[in-house]
Amino acid sequence: MVGYDSSLQTYQSTKGRTTFEIAGGITLIVLKFGGTSVADRNRMDAALRIAADQIDAGPVLVSSALAGVTDTLISLAALATAGDTESVAKSFATLESRHYEAVSDLEDPVDALSRLSSLFDELRGLLSGLSLLKECSPRTYDAVLAFGEILSTTVLHARAVASGLDALLLDSRDFMITDSGFTAAIPDFDKTNKAVRDAIRPSKGRLYITQGFIGRAPNGATTTLGRGGSDYTATILGAALGASEVQIWTDVNGIMTSDPRVVAGARTVDTLSYEEAAELAYFGAKVVHPSTIQPAIELGIPVLVKNTSDPDGPFTAIKTGSSGTGIRAIAGKKRITLINITSSRMLNAYGFLSRIFAVFEQHRTSVDLVATSEVSVSVTVDNNAHVDQIVDDLKQYGTVGVEDDKAIICLVGKNLWKNSSFIAEVLNCLKSIQVRMISLGSSDINLSLVVPEIELENAMRTLHARFFSTGT
Ligand code: ADP
Ligand code: ASP
Ligand code: MG
């Protein structure tokens, strides 16, 4: 039992079932709203209604930036660094008016407007620094990006208070402690768990509001957890607080059999095991960030994925013991690079693979799929930021080839790889496509194939039609 004794203000944490009991015997929940769920004041009010309906559970609300704002901030940083002050001014004005607009209908918007205005002054200062220096370090980049979530939560908090909720706004950088890996910082769980428990004292009837995605490095600088990282913040908070449930509110009805933007007939998967959800997220189902599942697994916290525009509609519950049989879903991931290392020195040489992988580790680049033969190793990576340096370093071990514009298709389902007629069927569906690599057995719940990126969406549609059309 994981319990929180509000009188002692301490937590007992053991593995297994988690219940966060607060005064009155209620259980805490974490609600995360993505960008489209907080895109404007109407969407924000809908999100707040979802939180208000569950106010007895002492909810902690984690918010993303308004839809599109993180992309705007990325482009602002680039424009400022390039010295394009005219475009910066234009885009900045749109950003300002979107946020001002989101509080302008409040009866007394003065306080919110002045908070927003000082945040915009701060951001303006950072951007003019970039224009002067003509250089944007990863540290400054994260400082700029963090404004998206800081602005959105400022608006949400103002609207929550105006609607009569007992709402408290917390700066997540006070408790989300990370390393200094700017743009993809790694949380320090020991420090974060303690800081979260010190900062958040949930109580019945109170709504905590905080930012997803952002954290703080040991030297005090702002960091981010990587694109889509607000989901991760939600489960980190849920695990730290021993929440009974984490709800991810988004723009689709849960995790579907495939990306509904690509496959028209995709439908909601009602339940998934943590492992299935993690594989899907890792291999492209961006509806949840790849790291989201990990904090929830250890304590067995259910993660629900729901649609803000259809709160009572179909949704996905990710929880222990909910893996089904057969194929569950198909994910696709673009921008994959395949790196081949060929060397006769690999023959009978031990330690060869470890030296190869050490190069990837040194450049903080994780490897997705691997295939080896007597004289060659092929690996895929989804982060090509350091590919040039990796290739240079690998050249000491053999001839290195790089193939860009690849994609991974991942079919998730228990023991798929054990069924050879299923594999034959998959390859038959893809017979007109050049399948470059297949990974069958590494996890018993996924079958992954590397295909040309340009073929990905068609391949997903074909496979979906074959394995998910009614009657199969
Ligand atoms: P949010 O802003 O709420 O975090 P995201 O845009 O990050 O939302 O994720 C939701 C999107 O994920 C959906 O609109 C959908 O296009 C995409 N997606 C990809 N794969 C899947 C899948 N298997 N199920 C549902 N959505 C998926
Ligand atoms: N706002 C960030 C992004 O767009 C984080 C998130 O939405 O989860 O990547
Ligand atoms: Mg997201």
Side-chain angles (χ1 to χ4, degrees):
M1 163 100 176
V2 173
Y4 171 64
D5 180 333
S6 57
S7 56
L8 298 169
Q9 307 280 30
T10 56
Y11 290 73
Q12 298 97 43
S13 174
T14 54
K15 271 199 175 187
R17 171 94 191 99
T18 66
T19 314
F20 180 97
E21 298 206 352
I22 47 184
I26 57 163
T27 55
L28 162 97
I29 54 171
V30 176
L31 312 171
K32 177 263 172 177
F33 291 93
T36 43
S37 304
V38 293
D40 56 36
R41 64 192 191 208
N42 293 329
R43 309 301 293 268
M44 286 192 180
D45 286 351
L48 288 170
R49 275 195 298 277
I50 288 169
D53 284 348
Q54 309 183 76
I55 200 72
D56 281 352
V60 177
L61 188 162
V62 174
S63 181
S64 291
L66 273 63
V69 163
T70 308
D71 288 335
T72 303
L73 291 165
I74 290 173
S75 110
L76 275 170
L79 291 167
T81 310
D84 185 349
T85 44
E86 205 176 302
S87 304
V88 169
K90 219 166 131 197
S91 169
F92 199 93
T94 315
L95 191 69
E96 278 181 311
S97 61
R98 264 189 89 182
H99 289 85
Y100 288 143
E101 176 89 351
V103 293
S104 62
D105 65 319
L106 297 180
E107 207 175 310
D108 182 10
V110 178
D111 189 39
L113 285 170
S114 94
R115 282 177 201 220
L116 289 175
S117 153
S118 28
L119 289 170
F120 281 120
D121 286 345
E122 223 182 294
L123 177 59
R124 202 178 281 108
L126 259 179
L127 293 172
S128 49
L130 289 179
S131 314
L132 289 174
L133 289 171
K134 303 256 183 299
E135 195 190 320
C136 182
S137 67
R139 175 184 169 139
T140 313
Y141 180 87
D142 273 0
V144 170
L145 260 59
F147 276 88
E149 272 66 13
I150 296 169
L151 289 163
S152 68
T153 47
T154 302
V155 174
L156 261 178
H157 176 248
R159 298 197 75 79
V161 172
S163 72
L165 285 166
D166 172 12
L168 262 184
L169 177 61
L170 296 181
D171 187 328
S172 62
R173 291 169 296 182
D174 292 340
F175 46 78
M176 187 59 60
I177 316 297
T178 69
D179 67 1
S180 302
F182 297 105
T183 78
I186 296 169
D188 176 329
F189 283 96
D190 287 341
K191 290 195 179 128
T192 298
N193 287 343
K194 185 177 178 315
V196 168
R197 290 163 195 164
D198 285 343
I200 305 182
R201 307 278 175 172
S203 70
K204 197 168 176 160
R206 162 162 294 169
L207 174 66
Y208 278 96
I209 297 178
T210 194
Q211 304 81 24
F213 182 53
I214 67 174
R216 199 182 294 286
N219 66 0
T222 297
T223 54
T224 66
L225 304 179
R227 293 303 306 269
S230 295
D231 302 325
Y232 192 22
T233 306
T235 50
I236 292 172
L237 295 188
L241 295 167
S244 61
E245 188 172 291
V246 174
Q247 300 172 7
I248 308 277
W249 289 89
T250 183
D251 60 354
V252 285
N253 284 93
I255 300 185
M256 310 186 80
T257 48
S258 199
D259 184 345
R261 282 185 215 198
V262 176
V263 179
R267 51 180 193 263
T268 303
V269 184
D270 297 340
T271 57
L272 280 172
S273 68
Y274 292 110
E275 292 74 18
E276 289 167 339
E279 294 280 341
L280 281 171
Y282 189 75
F283 287 107
K286 88 179 252 260
V287 60
V288 286
H289 181 275
S291 305
T292 310
I293 305 302
Q294 181 220 324
I297 293 182
E298 201 171 322
L299 296 174
I301 301 171
V303 178
L304 310 187
V305 184
K306 295 188 158 204
N307 189 345
T308 322
S309 305
D310 183 15
D312 301 319
F315 64 94
T316 302
I318 305 164
K319 49 187 188 187
T320 317
S322 42
S323 73
T325 50
I327 178 167
R328 314 295 319 282
I330 302 171
K333 192 169 172 183
K334 289 186 175 169
R335 285 176 287 283
I336 297 294
T337 303
L338 188 67
I339 302 176
N340 306 296
I341 307 108
T342 309
S343 169
S344 51
R345 271 180 286 156
M346 194 177 160
L347 271 171
N348 300 323
Y350 50 82
F352 189 83
L353 284 178
S354 84
R355 286 193 288 278
I356 300 269
F357 286 122
V359 171
F360 287 90
E361 188 185 343
Q362 205 183 317
H363 294 287
R364 282 178 81 114
T365 299
S366 61
V367 164
D368 289 340
L369 301 179
V370 185
T372 64
S373 77
E374 270 301 281
V375 289
S376 72
V377 192
S378 299
V379 303
T380 66
V381 297
D382 65 358
N383 166 9
N384 58 13
H386 306 291
V387 164
D388 291 345
Q389 296 112 294
I390 290 172
V391 168
D392 279 348
D393 290 357
L394 287 174
K395 278 183 180 152
Q396 60 186 305
Y397 302 117
T399 314
V400 185
V402 176
E403 296 174 41
D404 291 319
D405 305 326
K406 294 282 175 279
I408 292 177
I409 297 187
C410 172
L411 298 96
V412 167
K414 215 161 175 32
N415 293 334
L416 290 180
W417 58 282
K418 286 188 179 161
N419 179 348
S420 48
S421 63
F422 173 80
I423 296 164
E425 196 64 54
V426 169
L427 291 173
N428 192 38
C429 282
L430 302 179
K431 59 176 179 266
S432 60
I433 294 175
Q434 191 204 16
V435 176
R436 191 59 190 78
M437 196 164 145
I438 302 179
S439 168
L440 286 174
S442 57
S443 109
D444 67 354
I445 55 160
N446 113 34
L447 164 60
S448 303
L449 305 114
V450 177
V451 297
E453 186 178 270
I454 193 172
E455 309 274 12
L456 175 70
E457 297 193 348
N458 250 334
M460 285 169 73
R461 284 189 279 266
T462 309
L463 288 168
H464 195 274
R466 169 62 190 85
F467 294 109
F468 289 101
S469 62
T470 342
T472 43

